[in-house]
Amino acid sequence: MSERKRVLGIYGAASSHWVGDGFPVRTVFPSQGVPELSPFLMLDYAGPAHFKPATRPRGVEEHPHRGFETVTISYQGSLDHRDSGGNAGTINPGDVQWMTAASGVVHEEMHGKEFTRKGGDFEMVQLWVNLPAAQKMSKPRYQGIVNAQIPRVELGNGAYARVIAGELKGIKGPAKTFTRVNVFDVRLDPGGRGELSLPAGQNSAIVLLRGNVVVNGASALRGEAQIAPLSSLGESIELAAKEPSLLLVLSGEPINEPVASYGPFVMNTEAELRQAFEDYRAGRMGHV
Ligand code: MN
């Protein structure tokens, strides 16, 4: 048996807030007690929430990003995306959009048209992944990854992971990344158990979106929007669920560079942040 990673603490999300008029989110990190987990900068859990039928799509209208990647994972509900690079797509349940803003993307994120018309349950995650300085001003990239492209790996009894990025048991995820990261969508049935390996020497965390899970036979995460950062040492974790549970397990090689961030921009210096605002205002990041 490999050495287990240690649970460093269990933290709940800070209070919820709205992003635009479409996303009732809880910021799982950074939050009180949990700093950024480089290269992961932030994780917002939107919903679960029920939306009534409407005529006009709710969401976030045209806004910029520079210097990092936004990763949007849909569990329930759909999202329409359009950006200044000419990319457009709908993110449906099970799909993942991995958008590398890099030198600059202006996009809008709106509830899907059919979802808006019919209403329904909405549940998504947006994860921000930092880029190394060398890639912050490179060309934007858009990866629209659909459900069927994401391989499923059994972890034990009543437990499996969908490998979005990185590698698990020799199975590689479809997302192309700039640094080494693992993003696993982990599901457990009631009574389900599984073991999962994660590299030593990386920042890692278990995010419980909803459910009730015991980690390494000792630490319990229950309810919604909880995070357990894990020790760098150790190469595996054991999960046992008491209820149907939905988790994200993250690990990544830290980017050891200064972070200067403000709103939708994540750079290395204050001067680069000022430049980002200037470039956006001058229309140099384009328009949707
Ligand atoms: Mn955005």
Side-chain angles (χ1 to χ4, degrees):
M1 191 180 82
S2 62
E3 190 189 338
R4 301 284 188 216
K5 284 187 177 290
R6 245 171 353 99
V7 170
L8 300 177
I10 294 169
Y11 304 87
S15 62
S16 59
H17 61 277
W18 282 82
V19 176
D21 64 358
F23 310 98
V25 306
R26 284 173 280 185
T27 300
V28 177
F29 75 87
S31 65
Q32 284 175 319
V34 187
E36 64 164 74
L37 299 158
S38 177
F40 306 107
L41 296 161
M42 187 213 71
L43 190 148
D44 268 353
Y45 179 34
H50 186 82
F51 284 90
K52 293 191 170 121
T55 47
R56 189 188 58 85
R58 305 172 180 95
V60 197
E61 275 157 18
E62 188 166 306
H63 64 278
H65 294 289
R66 173 181 278 181
F68 64 103
E69 302 180 292
T70 64
V71 179
T72 307
I73 304 167
S74 170
Y75 298 94
Q76 303 184 73
S78 74
L79 192 67
D80 278 347
H81 161 97
R82 288 195 305 150
D83 72 37
S84 51
N87 296 300
T90 301
I91 311 162
N92 288 307
D95 298 349
V96 175
Q97 179 205 66
W98 198 293
M99 187 187 81
T100 306
S103 64
V105 162
V106 173
H107 73 161
E108 59 173 37
E109 299 161 275
M110 308 298 286
H111 289 188
K113 285 183 187 70
E114 201 190 323
F115 178 83
T116 300
R117 195 166 50 76
K118 289 186 175 167
D121 293 323
F122 192 88
E123 184 178 24
M124 295 202 186
V125 158
Q126 191 166 87
L127 172 69
W128 288 12
V129 182
N130 205 1
L131 288 170
Q135 267 93 41
K136 280 187 181 292
M137 291 302 284
S138 64
K139 222 172 103 207
R141 183 166 77 184
Y142 181 85
Q143 301 177 71
I145 300 164
V146 297
N147 189 17
Q149 286 174 273
I150 301 172
R152 180 178 155 149
V153 174
E154 299 301 323
L155 299 176
N157 241 332
Y160 68 89
R162 298 171 72 236
V163 184
I164 296 169
E167 187 176 341
L168 185 60
K169 291 189 176 176
I171 305 293
K172 287 191 167 72
K176 294 190 195 83
T177 66
F178 289 87
T179 57
R180 283 173 184 275
V181 299
N182 291 304
V183 177
F184 304 144
D185 166 9
V186 175
R187 321 272 180 122
L188 293 101
D189 295 331
R193 291 177 161 275
E195 191 184 336
L196 211 149
S197 35
L198 292 169
Q202 296 193 349
N203 285 332
S204 56
I206 300 168
V207 176
L208 177 78
L209 300 177
R210 50 186 160 85
N212 186 340
V213 158
V214 175
V215 184
N216 300 338
S219 307
L221 289 85
R222 46 176 103 82
E224 293 187 353
Q226 299 235 306
I227 181 166
L230 302 170
S231 63
S232 168
L233 276 174
E235 292 175 323
S236 68
I237 51 169
E238 192 207 18
L239 301 170
K242 296 188 168 168
E243 293 167 18
S245 297
L246 181 59
L247 296 87
L248 266 176
V249 176
L250 309 173
S251 82
E253 223 163 68
I255 298 172
N256 293 311
E257 294 172 352
V259 174
S261 70
Y262 191 84
F265 305 126
V266 183
M267 305 302 291
N268 300 110
T269 68
E270 295 295 321
E272 289 167 348
L273 280 182
R274 281 193 296 276
Q275 186 65 52
F277 274 100
E278 249 179 71
D279 287 349
Y280 173 56
R281 275 199 214 104
R284 286 191 284 267
M285 292 184 191
H287 290 285
V288 172

